[in-house]
């Protein structure tokens, strides 16, 4: 339940009249459940859209939307395995057809590109710290085909995995 605080909160120099959430969850414009603590001041809520101002940045979508946070947690633990869009939709609790639209709308990127960026970040770390072959690194981070790994790596970094490896591990 959202209600106005019965009286302004703050000292005499800094009186505010926040919305206070008491023991309930809010539902955003698209029906997404917004998590709140038992007594939380909601200061940045833009009432018209149901989206706080501080959550308009795509990166924060993962902490703002519980279904995306759940998906992000799953992917961070399982990105080395094959993860399909239908599987991701189930984890997010969305229908397969709506999942792609929802994900892109909330994050600014498509699911496939986001997953590739997570895998490429780990691949870069492995290329910097281990002396494994490019193929082995690609397979270790979840790419099932070396050519797909190379294309994704170049798309996201502007260089091939071999060029990157030479740059960070000369000799």
């Amino acid at each position: 339940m959202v209600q106005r605080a019965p009286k302004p909160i703050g000292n005499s120099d800094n009186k505010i009249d926040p919305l206070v959430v008491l023991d309930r969850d809010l539902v955003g414009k698209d029906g997404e459940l917004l998590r709140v603590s038992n007594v939380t001041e909601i200061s940045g809520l833009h009432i018209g859209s149901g989206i706080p101002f501080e959550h308009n940045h795509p990166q924060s979508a993962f902490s703002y939307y519980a279904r995306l946070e759940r998906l992000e947690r799953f992917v961070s633990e399982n990105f080395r395995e094959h993860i399909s869009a239908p599987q991701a939709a189930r984890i997010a609790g969305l229908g397969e057809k709506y999942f792609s639209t929802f994900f892109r709308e909330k994050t600014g990127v498509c699911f496939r590109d986001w997953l590739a960026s997570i895998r490429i970040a780990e691949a870069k770390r492995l290329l910097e710290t281990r002396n494994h072959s490019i193929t082995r690194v690609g397979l270790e981070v979840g790419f099932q085909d070396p050519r797909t790994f190379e294309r994704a790596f170049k798309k996201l970094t502007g260089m091939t995995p071999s060029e990157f490896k030479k740059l960070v591990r000369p000799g």
Side-chain angles (χ1 to χ4, degrees):
M1 174 170 107
V2 177
Q3 62 185 27
R4 286 260 169 221
K7 60 183 179 177
I9 299 171
N11 61 33
S12 59
D13 301 317
N14 183 13
K15 290 190 189 262
I16 56 173
D17 184 16
L19 288 174
V20 177
V21 179
L22 301 174
D23 229 356
R24 298 280 190 258
D25 293 331
L26 294 174
V27 177
K29 181 172 103 175
D30 62 351
E32 175 71 23
L33 190 63
L34 309 176
R35 289 170 287 121
V36 294
S37 61
N38 283 346
V39 179
T40 306
E41 290 183 23
I42 307 295
S43 58
L45 190 62
H46 178 59
I47 301 302
S49 71
I51 299 174
F53 295 126
E54 66 270 15
H55 292 292
N56 288 336
H57 190 273
Q59 291 300 88
S60 63
F62 293 99
S63 60
Y64 183 66
Y65 293 100
R67 60 185 73 239
L68 291 181
E69 184 177 37
R70 190 170 49 246
L71 178 63
E72 181 182 41
R73 194 170 41 253
F74 174 84
V75 168
S76 71
E77 295 169 3
N78 298 284
F79 68 89
R80 289 176 171 85
E81 308 300 321
H82 175 71
I83 302 172
S84 65
Q87 181 184 17
R90 282 191 303 277
I91 291 162
L94 295 169
E96 291 179 30
K97 291 181 180 181
Y98 182 59
F99 172 71
S100 294
T101 302
F102 179 85
F103 191 92
R104 183 184 291 270
E105 182 180 286
K106 303 305 180 198
T107 66
V109 297
C110 70
F111 173 72
R112 185 188 71 227
D113 288 348
W114 174 73
L115 178 59
S117 71
I118 290 170
R119 290 173 169 164
I120 296 302
E122 177 64 7
K124 287 171 65 177
R125 189 188 71 76
L126 292 175
L127 290 169
E128 289 174 14
T129 60
R130 299 197 181 139
N131 196 22
H132 295 321
S133 71
I134 302 298
T135 300
R136 181 174 175 184
V137 168
L139 293 172
E140 280 186 33
V141 299
F143 286 94
Q144 297 178 353
D145 176 60
R147 184 68 188 124
T148 302
F149 169 60
E150 290 176 8
R151 279 194 304 268
F153 196 99
K154 184 158 186 166
K155 179 181 176 183
L156 291 171
T157 66
M159 62 181 79
T160 66
S162 299
E163 292 168 338
F164 180 81
K165 187 174 181 179
K166 287 177 188 171
L167 183 68
V168 297
R169 295 181 65 91

